[in-house]
Amino acid sequence: MKEDVKEIASRVKVLREIEEISAESLAKELGFDPAAYKAWESGEKDFSVGALVEIASRFKVDLSELISGKASKLKTYCVTRAGEAPEVSRRPMYGYWNLAYNFHNKKAEPFIVEASAETENKPISINTHPGQELNYVLEGRLLISISGHDIELNPGDCIYYNSTEPHGMKALGGKAARFLAIVF
C-alpha cells in the first residue's frame, strides 16, 4: 500500500482512539461495513473520498487535514487557481482535485474528478457514503449508476442525489470524463 494511505489510516485511528471509540462502534455509527472499516484503518485498503468526508465530519476536522496532516487556515475565502488544486489520490483510474483544500470548516467538499477512458471497459465501482452529492459534467460523457438506475450525462448536465444509495460512474465514448463533484 502507498505510504499516504497508511498515514491517513493512522490519523483516523488516532482520532478514534482519542475519543475512546472502538473501530466497530465507529463503523456502526457511520454506517460502514465493520470489516471494510478495519481494512481501511489498518491501511490494507484505501478509504473512499465519501468515507473520508464522513470521518472528517464525525471528528470535526477538515478533510484536507485528515488527508494531508496539515491544518486548513482560510476562513474568509479560498482561491484555487487553474492547475493548482492538490490531487487527492483515492482510486485507480480516477483523479480527484480538491478545490477548497485550505478553507476551514467547509459545509461541503468540492472536487474536480476525472474518470479515465479506461473506466469504460471496467465494471462500475459502486460505493455509498452518508449525505448528498452533486455532479456537473464539464468534459466528456459520463455514465452514473444510482441504485441500479443508469443515467448518461453530457457536458453541461447535472445530477444531484442521495449518496447513501449505491452509486458509481465511468467515462463513455473512449475519452476521459471530467466533472465537478460536490459532496454535502
Side-chain angles (χ1 to χ4, degrees), residues 124-129 133 144-151 161-169:
I124 292 178
S125 176
I126 299 294
N127 69 78
T128 63
H129 52 88
E133 189 166 333
I144 184 163
S145 180
I146 303 170
S147 290
H149 301 278
D150 291 342
I151 304 111
Y161 55 95
N162 178 346
S163 50
T164 63
E165 297 293 329
H167 64 279
M169 60 277 302

PDB file of all heavy atoms in Angstrom, residues 124-129 133 144-151 161-169:
ATOM      1  N   ILE A 124     -18.551  -0.770 -13.128  1.00  0.00           N
ATOM      2  CA  ILE A 124     -18.616   0.425 -12.284  1.00  0.00           C
ATOM      3  C   ILE A 124     -18.305   0.034 -10.842  1.00  0.00           C
ATOM      4  O   ILE A 124     -18.862  -0.925 -10.317  1.00  0.00           O
ATOM      5  CB  ILE A 124     -19.999   1.102 -12.380  1.00  0.00           C
ATOM      6  CG1 ILE A 124     -20.202   1.698 -13.761  1.00  0.00           C
ATOM      7  CG2 ILE A 124     -20.154   2.183 -11.311  1.00  0.00           C
ATOM      8  CD1 ILE A 124     -21.555   2.355 -13.978  1.00  0.00           C
ATOM      9  N   SER A 125     -17.408   0.781 -10.227  1.00  0.00           N
ATOM     10  CA  SER A 125     -17.070   0.578  -8.820  1.00  0.00           C
ATOM     11  C   SER A 125     -18.124   1.301  -7.983  1.00  0.00           C
ATOM     12  O   SER A 125     -18.206   2.523  -7.997  1.00  0.00           O
ATOM     13  CB  SER A 125     -15.671   1.139  -8.546  1.00  0.00           C
ATOM     14  OG  SER A 125     -15.371   1.024  -7.186  1.00  0.00           O
ATOM     15  N   ILE A 126     -18.924   0.541  -7.271  1.00  0.00           N
ATOM     16  CA  ILE A 126     -20.047   1.089  -6.502  1.00  0.00           C
ATOM     17  C   ILE A 126     -19.601   1.432  -5.089  1.00  0.00           C
ATOM     18  O   ILE A 126     -18.846   0.693  -4.466  1.00  0.00           O
ATOM     19  CB  ILE A 126     -21.210   0.072  -6.452  1.00  0.00           C
ATOM     20  CG1 ILE A 126     -21.719  -0.249  -7.855  1.00  0.00           C
ATOM     21  CG2 ILE A 126     -22.332   0.539  -5.548  1.00  0.00           C
ATOM     22  CD1 ILE A 126     -22.369   0.907  -8.572  1.00  0.00           C
ATOM     23  N   ASN A 127     -20.062   2.578  -4.585  1.00  0.00           N
ATOM     24  CA  ASN A 127     -19.798   2.958  -3.201  1.00  0.00           C
ATOM     25  C   ASN A 127     -21.002   3.696  -2.644  1.00  0.00           C
ATOM     26  O   ASN A 127     -21.919   4.062  -3.377  1.00  0.00           O
ATOM     27  CB  ASN A 127     -18.512   3.783  -3.088  1.00  0.00           C
ATOM     28  CG  ASN A 127     -18.631   5.152  -3.709  1.00  0.00           C
ATOM     29  OD1 ASN A 127     -19.208   6.049  -3.113  1.00  0.00           O
ATOM     30  ND2 ASN A 127     -18.082   5.337  -4.894  1.00  0.00           N
ATOM     31  N   THR A 128     -20.983   3.879  -1.353  1.00  0.00           N
ATOM     32  CA  THR A 128     -22.014   4.670  -0.661  1.00  0.00           C
ATOM     33  C   THR A 128     -21.326   5.503   0.400  1.00  0.00           C
ATOM     34  O   THR A 128     -20.241   5.157   0.867  1.00  0.00           O
ATOM     35  CB  THR A 128     -23.075   3.776   0.023  1.00  0.00           C
ATOM     36  OG1 THR A 128     -22.431   2.997   1.028  1.00  0.00           O
ATOM     37  CG2 THR A 128     -23.784   2.866  -0.954  1.00  0.00           C
ATOM     38  N   HIS A 129     -21.938   6.599   0.748  1.00  0.00           N
ATOM     39  CA  HIS A 129     -21.482   7.400   1.882  1.00  0.00           C
ATOM     40  C   HIS A 129     -22.644   8.278   2.310  1.00  0.00           C
ATOM     41  O   HIS A 129     -23.492   8.639   1.493  1.00  0.00           O
ATOM     42  CB  HIS A 129     -20.235   8.225   1.535  1.00  0.00           C
ATOM     43  CG  HIS A 129     -20.362   9.061   0.311  1.00  0.00           C
ATOM     44  ND1 HIS A 129     -20.858  10.346   0.324  1.00  0.00           N
ATOM     45  CD2 HIS A 129     -20.052   8.792  -0.977  1.00  0.00           C
ATOM     46  CE1 HIS A 129     -20.845  10.832  -0.911  1.00  0.00           C
ATOM     47  NE2 HIS A 129     -20.369   9.906  -1.723  1.00  0.00           N
ATOM     48  N   GLU A 133     -24.815  14.377  -2.961  1.00  0.00           N
ATOM     49  CA  GLU A 133     -23.745  14.717  -3.892  1.00  0.00           C
ATOM     50  C   GLU A 133     -24.329  15.357  -5.138  1.00  0.00           C
ATOM     51  O   GLU A 133     -25.420  15.011  -5.576  1.00  0.00           O
ATOM     52  CB  GLU A 133     -22.967  13.450  -4.252  1.00  0.00           C
ATOM     53  CG  GLU A 133     -21.711  13.705  -5.043  1.00  0.00           C
ATOM     54  CD  GLU A 133     -20.791  12.504  -5.100  1.00  0.00           C
ATOM     55  OE1 GLU A 133     -20.803  11.658  -4.170  1.00  0.00           O
ATOM     56  OE2 GLU A 133     -20.047  12.418  -6.091  1.00  0.00           O
ATOM     57  N   ILE A 144     -23.477   7.346 -14.942  1.00  0.00           N
ATOM     58  CA  ILE A 144     -23.571   7.243 -13.488  1.00  0.00           C
ATOM     59  C   ILE A 144     -24.678   6.258 -13.158  1.00  0.00           C
ATOM     60  O   ILE A 144     -25.747   6.278 -13.773  1.00  0.00           O
ATOM     61  CB  ILE A 144     -23.794   8.622 -12.818  1.00  0.00           C
ATOM     62  CG1 ILE A 144     -23.784   8.482 -11.296  1.00  0.00           C
ATOM     63  CG2 ILE A 144     -25.041   9.303 -13.298  1.00  0.00           C
ATOM     64  CD1 ILE A 144     -23.580   9.770 -10.549  1.00  0.00           C
ATOM     65  N   SER A 145     -24.385   5.378 -12.241  1.00  0.00           N
ATOM     66  CA  SER A 145     -25.355   4.391 -11.787  1.00  0.00           C
ATOM     67  C   SER A 145     -25.714   4.721 -10.344  1.00  0.00           C
ATOM     68  O   SER A 145     -24.834   4.854  -9.494  1.00  0.00           O
ATOM     69  CB  SER A 145     -24.745   2.985 -11.874  1.00  0.00           C
ATOM     70  OG  SER A 145     -25.680   2.022 -11.434  1.00  0.00           O
ATOM     71  N   ILE A 146     -27.011   4.881 -10.090  1.00  0.00           N
ATOM     72  CA  ILE A 146     -27.501   5.172  -8.744  1.00  0.00           C
ATOM     73  C   ILE A 146     -28.614   4.182  -8.443  1.00  0.00           C
ATOM     74  O   ILE A 146     -29.655   4.184  -9.110  1.00  0.00           O
ATOM     75  CB  ILE A 146     -28.024   6.620  -8.616  1.00  0.00           C
ATOM     76  CG1 ILE A 146     -26.937   7.617  -9.009  1.00  0.00           C
ATOM     77  CG2 ILE A 146     -28.522   6.886  -7.192  1.00  0.00           C
ATOM     78  CD1 ILE A 146     -27.417   9.044  -9.145  1.00  0.00           C
ATOM     79  N   SER A 147     -28.373   3.312  -7.487  1.00  0.00           N
ATOM     80  CA  SER A 147     -29.355   2.278  -7.092  1.00  0.00           C
ATOM     81  C   SER A 147     -29.858   1.485  -8.298  1.00  0.00           C
ATOM     82  O   SER A 147     -31.049   1.216  -8.421  1.00  0.00           O
ATOM     83  CB  SER A 147     -30.532   2.897  -6.351  1.00  0.00           C
ATOM     84  OG  SER A 147     -30.125   3.352  -5.095  1.00  0.00           O
ATOM     85  N   GLY A 148     -28.951   1.149  -9.206  1.00  0.00           N
ATOM     86  CA  GLY A 148     -29.319   0.346 -10.369  1.00  0.00           C
ATOM     87  C   GLY A 148     -29.890   1.137 -11.528  1.00  0.00           C
ATOM     88  O   GLY A 148     -30.201   0.569 -12.572  1.00  0.00           O
ATOM     89  N   HIS A 149     -30.045   2.435 -11.389  1.00  0.00           N
ATOM     90  CA  HIS A 149     -30.512   3.294 -12.481  1.00  0.00           C
ATOM     91  C   HIS A 149     -29.289   3.871 -13.187  1.00  0.00           C
ATOM     92  O   HIS A 149     -28.490   4.559 -12.558  1.00  0.00           O
ATOM     93  CB  HIS A 149     -31.395   4.438 -11.965  1.00  0.00           C
ATOM     94  CG  HIS A 149     -32.604   3.971 -11.229  1.00  0.00           C
ATOM     95  ND1 HIS A 149     -33.746   3.565 -11.859  1.00  0.00           N
ATOM     96  CD2 HIS A 149     -32.823   3.836  -9.906  1.00  0.00           C
ATOM     97  CE1 HIS A 149     -34.635   3.200 -10.963  1.00  0.00           C
ATOM     98  NE2 HIS A 149     -34.099   3.351  -9.765  1.00  0.00           N
ATOM     99  N   ASP A 150     -29.149   3.595 -14.472  1.00  0.00           N
ATOM    100  CA  ASP A 150     -28.022   4.111 -15.246  1.00  0.00           C
ATOM    101  C   ASP A 150     -28.452   5.361 -16.001  1.00  0.00           C
ATOM    102  O   ASP A 150     -29.430   5.342 -16.748  1.00  0.00           O
ATOM    103  CB  ASP A 150     -27.518   3.058 -16.230  1.00  0.00           C
ATOM    104  CG  ASP A 150     -26.859   1.883 -15.521  1.00  0.00           C
ATOM    105  OD1 ASP A 150     -26.494   2.018 -14.342  1.00  0.00           O
ATOM    106  OD2 ASP A 150     -26.701   0.820 -16.162  1.00  0.00           O
ATOM    107  N   ILE A 151     -27.693   6.431 -15.789  1.00  0.00           N
ATOM    108  CA  ILE A 151     -28.017   7.724 -16.404  1.00  0.00           C
ATOM    109  C   ILE A 151     -26.779   8.213 -17.155  1.00  0.00           C
ATOM    110  O   ILE A 151     -25.693   8.274 -16.580  1.00  0.00           O
ATOM    111  CB  ILE A 151     -28.418   8.773 -15.340  1.00  0.00           C
ATOM    112  CG1 ILE A 151     -29.596   8.269 -14.494  1.00  0.00           C
ATOM    113  CG2 ILE A 151     -28.750  10.102 -15.971  1.00  0.00           C
ATOM    114  CD1 ILE A 151     -29.232   7.965 -13.082  1.00  0.00           C
ATOM    115  N   TYR A 161     -27.988  13.795  -5.976  1.00  0.00           N
ATOM    116  CA  TYR A 161     -28.548  12.541  -5.475  1.00  0.00           C
ATOM    117  C   TYR A 161     -28.176  12.274  -4.023  1.00  0.00           C
ATOM    118  O   TYR A 161     -27.268  12.883  -3.471  1.00  0.00           O
ATOM    119  CB  TYR A 161     -28.123  11.363  -6.361  1.00  0.00           C
ATOM    120  CG  TYR A 161     -26.631  11.221  -6.552  1.00  0.00           C
ATOM    121  CD1 TYR A 161     -25.892  10.371  -5.749  1.00  0.00           C
ATOM    122  CD2 TYR A 161     -25.966  11.927  -7.551  1.00  0.00           C
ATOM    123  CE1 TYR A 161     -24.534  10.227  -5.928  1.00  0.00           C
ATOM    124  CE2 TYR A 161     -24.613  11.788  -7.743  1.00  0.00           C
ATOM    125  CZ  TYR A 161     -23.897  10.933  -6.922  1.00  0.00           C
ATOM    126  OH  TYR A 161     -22.550  10.805  -7.110  1.00  0.00           O
ATOM    127  N   ASN A 162     -28.913  11.327  -3.456  1.00  0.00           N
ATOM    128  CA  ASN A 162     -28.688  10.846  -2.106  1.00  0.00           C
ATOM    129  C   ASN A 162     -27.520   9.863  -2.182  1.00  0.00           C
ATOM    130  O   ASN A 162     -27.646   8.786  -2.752  1.00  0.00           O
ATOM    131  CB  ASN A 162     -29.963  10.156  -1.614  1.00  0.00           C
ATOM    132  CG  ASN A 162     -29.818   9.572  -0.233  1.00  0.00           C
ATOM    133  OD1 ASN A 162     -28.732   9.436   0.307  1.00  0.00           O
ATOM    134  ND2 ASN A 162     -30.952   9.192   0.347  1.00  0.00           N
ATOM    135  N   SER A 163     -26.388  10.217  -1.600  1.00  0.00           N
ATOM    136  CA  SER A 163     -25.201   9.380  -1.743  1.00  0.00           C
ATOM    137  C   SER A 163     -25.169   8.185  -0.795  1.00  0.00           C
ATOM    138  O   SER A 163     -24.215   7.407  -0.824  1.00  0.00           O
ATOM    139  CB  SER A 163     -23.933  10.224  -1.604  1.00  0.00           C
ATOM    140  OG  SER A 163     -23.976  11.024  -0.458  1.00  0.00           O
ATOM    141  N   THR A 164     -26.245   8.000   0.005  1.00  0.00           N
ATOM    142  CA  THR A 164     -26.346   6.755   0.763  1.00  0.00           C
ATOM    143  C   THR A 164     -26.814   5.629  -0.144  1.00  0.00           C
ATOM    144  O   THR A 164     -26.712   4.458   0.210  1.00  0.00           O
ATOM    145  CB  THR A 164     -27.322   6.876   1.963  1.00  0.00           C
ATOM    146  OG1 THR A 164     -28.635   7.140   1.483  1.00  0.00           O
ATOM    147  CG2 THR A 164     -26.882   7.956   2.932  1.00  0.00           C
ATOM    148  N   GLU A 165     -27.324   5.994  -1.315  1.00  0.00           N
ATOM    149  CA  GLU A 165     -27.714   4.995  -2.311  1.00  0.00           C
ATOM    150  C   GLU A 165     -26.454   4.515  -3.034  1.00  0.00           C
ATOM    151  O   GLU A 165     -25.552   5.309  -3.305  1.00  0.00           O
ATOM    152  CB  GLU A 165     -28.686   5.596  -3.328  1.00  0.00           C
ATOM    153  CG  GLU A 165     -30.006   6.054  -2.750  1.00  0.00           C
ATOM    154  CD  GLU A 165     -30.861   4.907  -2.229  1.00  0.00           C
ATOM    155  OE1 GLU A 165     -30.767   3.785  -2.784  1.00  0.00           O
ATOM    156  OE2 GLU A 165     -31.615   5.129  -1.270  1.00  0.00           O
ATOM    157  N   PRO A 166     -26.383   3.212  -3.364  1.00  0.00           N
ATOM    158  CA  PRO A 166     -25.204   2.707  -4.082  1.00  0.00           C
ATOM    159  C   PRO A 166     -25.029   3.454  -5.405  1.00  0.00           C
ATOM    160  O   PRO A 166     -25.961   3.540  -6.200  1.00  0.00           O
ATOM    161  CB  PRO A 166     -25.537   1.231  -4.320  1.00  0.00           C
ATOM    162  CG  PRO A 166     -26.594   0.898  -3.318  1.00  0.00           C
ATOM    163  CD  PRO A 166     -27.362   2.170  -3.093  1.00  0.00           C
ATOM    164  N   HIS A 167     -23.825   3.997  -5.612  1.00  0.00           N
ATOM    165  CA  HIS A 167     -23.580   4.775  -6.816  1.00  0.00           C
ATOM    166  C   HIS A 167     -22.141   4.622  -7.296  1.00  0.00           C
ATOM    167  O   HIS A 167     -21.257   4.249  -6.533  1.00  0.00           O
ATOM    168  CB  HIS A 167     -23.910   6.261  -6.591  1.00  0.00           C
ATOM    169  CG  HIS A 167     -23.031   6.920  -5.571  1.00  0.00           C
ATOM    170  ND1 HIS A 167     -23.254   6.788  -4.212  1.00  0.00           N
ATOM    171  CD2 HIS A 167     -21.938   7.704  -5.689  1.00  0.00           C
ATOM    172  CE1 HIS A 167     -22.340   7.463  -3.551  1.00  0.00           C
ATOM    173  NE2 HIS A 167     -21.508   8.030  -4.432  1.00  0.00           N
ATOM    174  N   GLY A 168     -21.959   4.896  -8.570  1.00  0.00           N
ATOM    175  CA  GLY A 168     -20.633   4.862  -9.176  1.00  0.00           C
ATOM    176  C   GLY A 168     -20.742   5.437 -10.572  1.00  0.00           C
ATOM    177  O   GLY A 168     -21.828   5.673 -11.089  1.00  0.00           O
ATOM    178  N   MET A 169     -19.607   5.645 -11.197  1.00  0.00           N
ATOM    179  CA  MET A 169     -19.629   6.244 -12.525  1.00  0.00           C
ATOM    180  C   MET A 169     -18.442   5.776 -13.345  1.00  0.00           C
ATOM    181  O   MET A 169     -17.469   5.263 -12.804  1.00  0.00           O
ATOM    182  CB  MET A 169     -19.650   7.771 -12.443  1.00  0.00           C
ATOM    183  CG  MET A 169     -18.492   8.419 -11.743  1.00  0.00           C
ATOM    184  SD  MET A 169     -18.572   8.525  -9.950  1.00  0.00           S
ATOM    185  CE  MET A 169     -20.032   9.418  -9.641  1.00  0.00           C
TER     186      MET A 169
END
